[in-house]
C-alpha cells in the first residue's frame, strides 16, 4: 500500500522569501503524485501533479515540484511567497490501479509580513 | 466554484441520530470519492463509486454507507452517530480513476453533540 510523509507540521516564512515543503512517498512502482492546497473553511484545490516525463512540474499560483525517484521525494517549491499563500498543503500519492489517493498529514504554512 | 457541490455545508445533530450528506460531482466526472477529515486522523479515504458501482473501500465504519445514483450524485449515510464522528466530510470527483486527480467539494462540517 502506498503512503505519504510530510515531515513538517508547521512552517513560517517571511513574505517574499522562498519556500520548500517536503514530501516523501512510499510506493513500489512509479507513483502518481499530487500537491493540493486547502484554505481555511475550503475544500482542497489541485496545485500540480506528476505522472511521468519531466521530473520538474509546474503548477498554478507559481508553484513547482520536483520528483526525485532516488529520494522518494516530491517537494513543493515557490521562489517568492505571498501572504495569500498561507494555507495548508497536502501531498498525495496514487497507485497505478487508480482506486484512491493517499494523503499526507499536511503542512500548515504561515506567512510573516 | 470547483463544480463539485456538497450539501449541507454544516450539520449539527445529536448522538445516536442518522444524517445524509449529498454530493453532486463535476459535470462529466464518473467517479465519486468520500473522505473524512479530522484533526487527529487527517484525510481518511472512506469509499469510491464509479458510474454507480462501488469500486474501493477504505476505513469506512459499518455504521456508514454510501451509494451513487443513476444521475451520478452520491449520498453518504451516517447512522448511530457518536461524538467521534464529528469531522469535515469531503466529496471529490474524477473523470475516471484517482490518478487523473480529484476535484473536491467544499465539504460538510458535521458536529455531533
Amino acid at each position: 500500500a502506498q503512503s505519504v510523509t510530510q515531515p513538517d507540521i508547521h512552517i513560517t516564512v517571511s513574505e517574499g522569501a522562498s519556500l520548500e515543503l517536503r514530501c516523501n512517498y512510499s510506493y513500489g512502482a512509479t507513483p502518481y503524485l499530487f500537491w493540493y492546497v486547502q484554505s481555511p473553511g475550503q475544500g482542497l484545490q489541485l496545485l500540480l501533479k506528476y505522472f511521468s516525463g519531466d521530473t520538474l512540474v509546474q503548477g498554478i499560483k507559481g508553484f513547482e515540484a520536483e520528483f526525485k525517484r532516488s529520494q522518494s521525494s516530491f517537494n513543493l517549491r515557490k521562489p517568492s511567497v505571498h501572504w495569500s499563500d498561507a494555507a495548508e498543503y497536502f501531498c498525495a500519492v496514487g497507485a497505478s490501479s487508480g482506486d484512491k489517493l493517499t494523503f499526507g498529514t499536511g503542512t500548515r504554512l504561515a506567512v510573516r509580513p | 466554484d470547483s463544480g463539485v457541490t456538497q450539501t449541507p455545508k454544516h450539520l449539527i445533530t445529536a448522538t445516536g441520530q442518522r444524517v445524509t450528506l449529498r454530493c453532486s460531482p463535476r459535470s462529466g466526472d464518473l467517479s465519486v470519492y468520500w473522505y473524512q477529515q479530522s484533526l487527529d486522523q487527517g484525510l481518511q479515504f472512506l469509499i469510491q463509486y464509479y458510474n454507480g458501482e462501488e469500486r474501493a473501500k477504505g476505513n469506512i465504519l459499518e455504521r456508514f454507507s454510501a451509494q451513487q445514483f443513476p444521475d451520478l450524485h452520491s449520498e453518504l449515510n451516517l447512522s448511530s452517530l457518536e461524538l467521534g464522528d464529528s469531522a469535515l466530510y469531503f466529496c471529490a470527483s474524477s473523470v475516471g480513476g484517482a490518478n487523473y486527480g480529484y476535484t473536491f467539494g467544499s465539504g460538510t462540517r458535521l458536529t455531533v453533540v
Side-chain angles (χ1 to χ4, degrees):
Chain A
Q2 64 266 35
S3 66
V4 177
T5 301
Q6 293 181 249
D8 304 306
I9 298 174
H10 295 279
I11 284 184
T12 300
V13 300
S14 297
E15 191 168 16
S18 63
L19 171 70
E20 182 167 26
L21 302 182
R22 296 183 292 165
C23 171
N24 292 98
Y25 68 90
S26 175
Y27 181 62
T30 300
Y32 293 73
L33 295 162
F34 304 81
W35 275 99
Y36 283 84
V37 60
Q38 183 181 25
S39 298
Q42 302 294 317
L44 283 76
Q45 181 185 19
L46 179 65
L47 285 176
L48 48 79
K49 57 189 175 186
Y50 171 79
F51 292 165
S52 64
D54 192 348
T55 57
L56 185 63
V57 293
Q58 303 296 320
I60 62 170
K61 305 187 182 192
F63 286 93
E64 66 178 27
E66 186 171 13
F67 170 62
K68 292 186 177 179
R69 184 187 300 276
S70 61
Q71 298 177 20
S72 298
S73 69
F74 189 57
N75 294 347
L76 182 71
R77 301 195 295 246
K78 187 169 184 178
S80 177
V81 169
H82 188 262
W83 64 266
S84 61
D85 293 324
E88 188 148 23
Y89 291 80
F90 292 91
C91 181
V93 63
S96 54
S97 61
D99 59 349
K100 68 177 186 295
L101 298 185
T102 298
F103 288 83
T105 50
T107 297
R108 185 168 296 278
L109 173 68
V111 180
R112 205 185 294 122
Chain B
D1 181 8
S2 69
V4 178
T5 303
Q6 286 190 250
T7 57
K9 291 194 184 306
H10 302 277
L11 202 47
I12 301 175
T13 190
T15 55
Q17 295 298 305
R18 173 189 168 94
V19 297
T20 297
L21 312 184
R22 183 188 168 102
C23 169
S24 293
R26 193 179 58 163
S27 178
D29 286 356
L30 300 178
S31 286
V32 169
Y33 305 79
W34 286 97
Y35 280 77
Q36 179 192 62
Q37 185 181 37
S38 59
L39 285 175
D40 55 343
Q41 296 286 325
L43 270 162
Q44 295 290 314
F45 169 70
L46 296 178
I47 198 163
Q48 178 209 359
Y49 280 84
Y50 176 81
N51 204 20
E53 292 186 6
E54 181 185 305
R55 279 293 177 92
K57 228 171 185 177
N59 302 321
I60 187 166
L61 301 171
E62 285 192 13
R63 300 183 285 109
F64 295 1
S65 64
Q67 54 184 327
Q68 186 179 28
F69 295 85
D71 66 352
L72 300 179
H73 91 271
S74 177
E75 293 181 357
L76 179 67
N77 300 295
L78 315 176
S79 61
S80 303
L81 285 167
E82 302 174 359
L83 296 178
D85 297 327
S86 296
L88 202 49
Y89 290 84
F90 282 111
C91 165
S93 71
S94 176
V95 63
N99 294 334
Y100 287 90
Y102 295 159
T103 301
F104 278 86
S106 56
T108 293
R109 180 167 295 283
L110 173 66
T111 303
V112 183
V113 298

